[in-house]
Every structure is written in structure tokens, then in C-alpha cells.
Amino acid sequence: MNRTRVVVLGAGIIGSACARELSLAGFDVLVVDRGRPAGGTTSHGEGNILVSDKGPGAELALARLSARLWPLVVAELTAEDPHAAIEYDPKGGIVVATTDGGAASLTAFAKSQSEAGVVANPLSANEVAAAEPALTRDVTAAFHYPQDAQVQPAGAALALLGSALRHGARLRADTEVLGSVVANGRITGVRVPGEVLGADVVVNAAGPWAGELSARLGSPIAVRPRRGEVLVTMPMPGVVRHKVYDADYVGAVGAGSGELQTSAVVESTWGGTVLIGSSRRRVGFDATIRPQVLSAIAAKAVRLFPALADVAVMRAYGGFRAYVDDHLPVLGEDPRVANLWHATGHEGAGIGLSVGTGLLLRESLTGATPSMPLEEFTVDRPAVLA
């Protein structure tokens, strides 16, 4: 019996999550990436699985779905491969304000989230100090989000892809997609150097490159890169116990300006290093690391955690996030070309939203009832159609 052939374009965490779900559903899956698996945006993130930074709406619903799925998926992946380097850590997050205005905004934001089903517990000054002893005492409001978690992003993506391969998927790395083949209004394959890869369904999961790739496929969508940088300190185990960020972070995420946006985001890894972010700016695919950006990030982090002032920074890295003007992911079939699907536009939330995205794509392609409404993610909305 012939199986539906699906070509997934992109071997980052979104493409890997989609490939796994479709492989489990019995599709004949081929994953194509112009580089190496998890070698782009995925390997340049912090691995966050967050509900704390999203206001009520479709993205929060997807975040809550994904947060419920992650421990189940991790258990399945670990059962398949006990050595998978996922580093899933349901450590929770703490969001703090350090001004009276910030406290009012944070309190109102947390209230709206609670009404949408997010667990957001207010913390007293003593509770903040007990939870994060190294945190500044100049805190005017704080909320604990126990549903926040973290993974090692590249490790998690490779575990998802490895599971897809174990269930029959195939991988073509170092393969550039040059264009598409369309017949009678339906995509039937993609052109790569020297051949055509036939497909019944094509999934554009190329992250910040999805805009450029969609143009090559003849159906452009308005997904652009938005750059962020992260500092990595020497190991300092136990100093930062949760993901901690200041209330300005939510505003930076939602800002539409292409100018530099920074806020303090601080968290540790299993190895004890501390990841310090965050920045957002639109500079195309310019990968230059700017010292002034790193300085702005560091200054805000030190105000939040004064102990970081004397800690050595081992390295800094930056990556591109898949940005859409309305700040919502793109998940659905292209209205112009049948059987061309897009799964992109998650910006800095792609790690956390990946498993939910994969499930929703599987449900859509198999005709199952979706786990949540998809109307706000469709391709035919003004922010997406180029």
C-alpha cells in the first residue's frame, strides 16, 4: 500500500517535531535541510518552554498544549533512547518587577494569565529571597510560574529527529532546495541539485529562512529573521535556580520595532553555566555579534543578579528567530498551492511550541479533531501573505 509522501523542509526542532509526529502516524517522511540537523536557530537558543511570557490568546493556548505534552514526549524519547541529551528541567520561572510601574503591569498581566488557566503565584519579598538568594532585593512584585521548563535545545531536537528516523523517516542533510514542482495547482515535489524529490505534501519548517524558502517555492510568506544574543558564564552551580526575567521581557517580545530591545533573562543549565539574555533586533541575516548589544544585556542582568558582575563570561552566541509582524506562528496549508504547508513564525518560542505544533500538523493532515483552534495561525492572514 502506498503511503503519503511528506517532505519536511528544515531539520531544526520544529521540523523534527513535525517529522516525528507524521512518522508515528504512518506517513512516508523525508526531512531535508540545507545544513545539518539542529544547526541553525535551534542550536542558538536557550531551550525555554514558557507559558509565563504569553498573554491570553492563541499562542498561549499553544504554549499550554505544548507544556502538557513535553513531559510525555520526553518520557517516550527517553524510553527509546536512554542516552538522549534532552535535559528536560521543569524548574519553573520567576518574573520580577523592580519599579512601581513594572509591578502594576506585571500584576495585571499575571491576573489575565491566571484567568486563562496559567498558574501564576504571587511571591512575597521573603519568598523571593528564599527562591533566589542571589536575586536583587529591589523587587516590587514577583510571580512564580511552575509550568515553565527548559530543555537543551539541540539535544531535544536531535532526540525528536532520531525518534522520527527510528519510525521510518529519512534525512537528507546538506541539500539545498531550489524550487518546487506544481501541477494542477498542487505541489508535487521540490527541486534540489540534480533531481526532484517527489512529494504528496511539503512542509515548510525552515524557521527564519521560511520566508526566503517560500519565495523559492513560489508562494512567499512574510517571515523574517529577528536576531537575539546570549552570554554564557563560567559554571556557577546553584546560584540561579529558576528561569528569572524582568517584567520588561514581555514588552520586548511583543515590540514591533526593528530597533534593539533588551531585557534581563537569566537561567542556569544542567552543567551550571548561566545563560544571560536577551536581545531582539531586526538586521536581516547579519550574524555579526555587536559588543554594545552584549553590554546592554549584561548591564540589565547585573541589576537583576548583582553577583554576576564578577563572573567570567566564557562565550557569546547569537541566532535568528522566525519573526512575523503579528507575533503569531504560521501553521496551515497555503491557500495558493494545495498540499504546501507552513510551520514557522514561532520567533523565540519555537523550542517550547515545537511539540504542540507537530501534533497539530499531524491532526490536520490526518483529519483528526485538532487539540485547539487553528484559525489564528492560518497562512491567509494579513501579516503572513507577502
Side-chain angles (χ1 to χ4, degrees):
M1 182 176 68
N2 292 330
R3 294 187 297 161
T4 301
R5 301 170 301 168
V6 181
V7 175
V8 177
L9 306 179
I13 198 162
I14 298 293
S16 296
C18 291
R20 178 177 188 264
E21 286 289 346
L22 297 179
S23 297
L24 289 171
F27 290 89
D28 178 15
V29 178
L30 173 64
V31 181
V32 178
D33 197 284
R34 69 177 183 178
R36 294 288 175 169
T41 290
T42 295
S43 62
H44 295 90
E46 296 168 283
N48 291 318
I49 302 170
L50 303 182
V51 298
S52 58
D53 63 339
K54 299 169 183 67
E59 188 182 26
L60 178 58
L62 178 54
R64 294 183 64 213
L65 170 64
S66 298
R68 293 193 299 271
L69 290 174
W70 263 111
L72 305 176
V73 171
V74 169
E76 293 169 355
L77 295 175
T78 304
E80 291 180 18
D81 179 8
H83 302 293
I86 303 169
E87 298 184 13
Y88 176 71
D89 188 355
K91 60 187 175 183
I94 294 178
V95 185
V96 301
T98 56
T99 65
D100 291 339
S105 297
L106 174 58
T107 300
F109 185 70
K111 182 177 184 295
S112 70
Q113 290 177 301
S114 296
E115 292 170 349
V118 174
V119 180
N121 298 319
L123 299 177
S124 67
N126 288 339
E127 290 171 328
V128 172
E132 292 288 347
L135 185 65
T136 178
R137 295 296 177 263
D138 296 328
V139 173
T140 54
F143 285 83
H144 177 231
Y145 290 84
Q147 294 163 301
D148 283 356
Q150 184 182 11
V151 293
Q152 207 296 328
L158 293 175
L160 289 165
L161 180 60
S163 177
L165 297 178
R166 282 190 291 274
H167 288 92
R170 292 159 292 129
L171 172 67
R172 286 278 297 265
D174 300 318
T175 302
E176 187 89 11
V177 173
L178 304 175
S180 64
V181 178
V182 177
N184 299 318
R186 310 176 75 85
I187 195 165
T188 61
V190 295
R191 291 188 293 106
V192 300
E195 63 179 309
V196 171
L197 304 177
D200 301 304
V201 176
V202 174
V203 180
N204 174 12
W209 293 274
E212 289 190 0
L213 181 57
S214 66
R216 292 187 183 189
L217 298 175
S219 297
I221 58 174
V223 176
R224 293 171 288 166
R226 199 182 193 194
R227 186 164 174 79
E229 279 87 11
V230 176
L231 295 166
V232 186
T233 74
M234 295 291 290
M236 42 192 306
V239 174
V240 182
R241 302 174 182 181
H242 302 78
K243 176 186 176 65
V244 182
Y245 61 88
D246 66 43
D248 292 340
Y249 176 75
V250 174
V253 171
S257 170
E259 299 302 314
L260 175 64
Q261 307 281 331
T262 61
S263 57
V265 181
V266 183
E267 62 192 315
S268 62
T269 67
W270 274 18
T273 57
V274 174
L275 307 180
I276 301 172
S278 71
S279 67
R280 279 172 164 77
R281 55 195 175 102
R282 291 211 303 271
V283 292
F285 285 105
D286 180 359
T288 306
I289 292 183
R290 307 290 182 185
Q292 63 269 31
V293 175
L294 303 182
S295 296
I297 295 171
K300 289 197 172 182
V302 168
R303 284 198 290 272
L304 208 58
F305 282 92
L308 293 175
D310 299 322
V311 176
V313 172
M314 287 197 305
R315 63 188 179 96
Y317 62 87
F320 301 105
R321 285 74 167 118
Y323 174 83
V324 180
D325 280 341
D326 63 6
H327 305 286
L328 287 174
V330 183
L331 177 59
E333 187 175 17
D334 196 292
R336 299 158 294 185
V337 179
N339 292 347
L340 171 60
W341 287 68
H342 302 280
T344 182
H346 301 78
E347 203 182 335
I351 304 298
L353 301 181
S354 59
V355 293
T357 298
L359 175 63
L360 292 172
L361 179 65
R362 171 181 176 168
E363 292 169 342
S364 297
L365 289 177
T366 58
T369 301
S371 297
M372 60 167 285
L374 300 175
E375 288 79 8
E376 293 192 48
F377 301 143
T378 57
V379 181
D380 60 352
R381 62 187 204 259
V384 176
L385 285 186

